Amino acid sequence: MANNRNEIMSNVWRDGIFQDKVLFCTGGAGTICSVQVRAFVLLGGNAYIIGRNVEKTERVAKEIQSVRPGSRVIGQGNVDVRNMQSLQDAAARCAKELGGIDFAIAGAAGNFLAPMSQLSSNAFRSVLEIDTLGSFHTAKAVLPYLVDSAKKFPNTGRHASNGTGGRLIFISATFHYRGQALQSHVAAAKSAVDQISHSVSIEYGPYGITSNVISPGPIANTEGMERLAKLDSESAAESKRGTPVGRWGEVREIADATIYLFSEAGSFVNGNVLVVDGGHWRTSGAGSAGFVYPDFIIGGAEITGVKSGRQEKPAKL
């Protein structure tokens, strides 16, 4: 994981804009969420990340903490976002050890490629629960603390020297905008995630909370790309040609979107979906990168050439 500021975010952001604020992030050890958290910490904040894998989550937390001397980043593993009590306990520990929760990212997710003919009910349910229940549980766990933060750091529309608080971001996708083969489970889950965020924006906006969605497109060098696209040179070139700006995104571009929504620049943005994909969803059809539609459906072959989404079952809490 790089410590080069230019790889973490763009150089337009002022140092210290999140001074002493606290970010709670589910899925914080992932390739996208970890850079979002890293950018937040670099700009003055502290963070609490949770994940399934204990060793990975604690290691990534230490790596993130190294970006800014004096920062505090805590990593808690063995947390299953499908368990409401587990999320509530983690949020309480974050608030106790870091002094509160001012910002939150619901980023835990599951994904893999599978046609419906090869998708079991359990696999479908697993993705739906991780993404949808996980996002709902995250919101329920952090919202009381975000309301407190919004009272301390109100969103008045005027410049505040200590910034604002009470911001929530959900990580979604674009598969459900126009449909994509091999992603029925994720399309169902992410459409629900979007609606959870919209509900939060309506019901908690009066308390000073903003709730928005970031929907990344194809982002280079991420776990998602390993699972969702063949990465051989020919398939990658084809995928990039299908993106209007002619390339895949960089993780720092998701971090930039995060900073914007958390900063005073995003104070009046609420109930919105910010798509960061170079226009890819507008030109993507039924196929996936490296899989020619409808041949791979009709042929009925196993999905190969991408990283499997299977994981070991987490230890019981």
Side-chain angles (χ1 to χ4, degrees), residues 236-261:
E238 179 185 354
S239 174
K240 291 174 183 178
R241 283 194 300 270
T243 303
V245 300
R247 64 175 177 85
W248 289 339
E250 301 292 333
V251 287
R252 65 173 177 78
E253 291 172 308
I254 307 301
D256 284 336
T258 304
I259 299 167
Y260 163 63
L261 291 175

Side-chain angles (χ1 to χ4, degrees), residues 34-45:
S34 64
V35 174
Q36 293 176 284
V37 177
R38 184 169 284 240
F40 181 87
V41 171
L42 192 55
L43 294 177

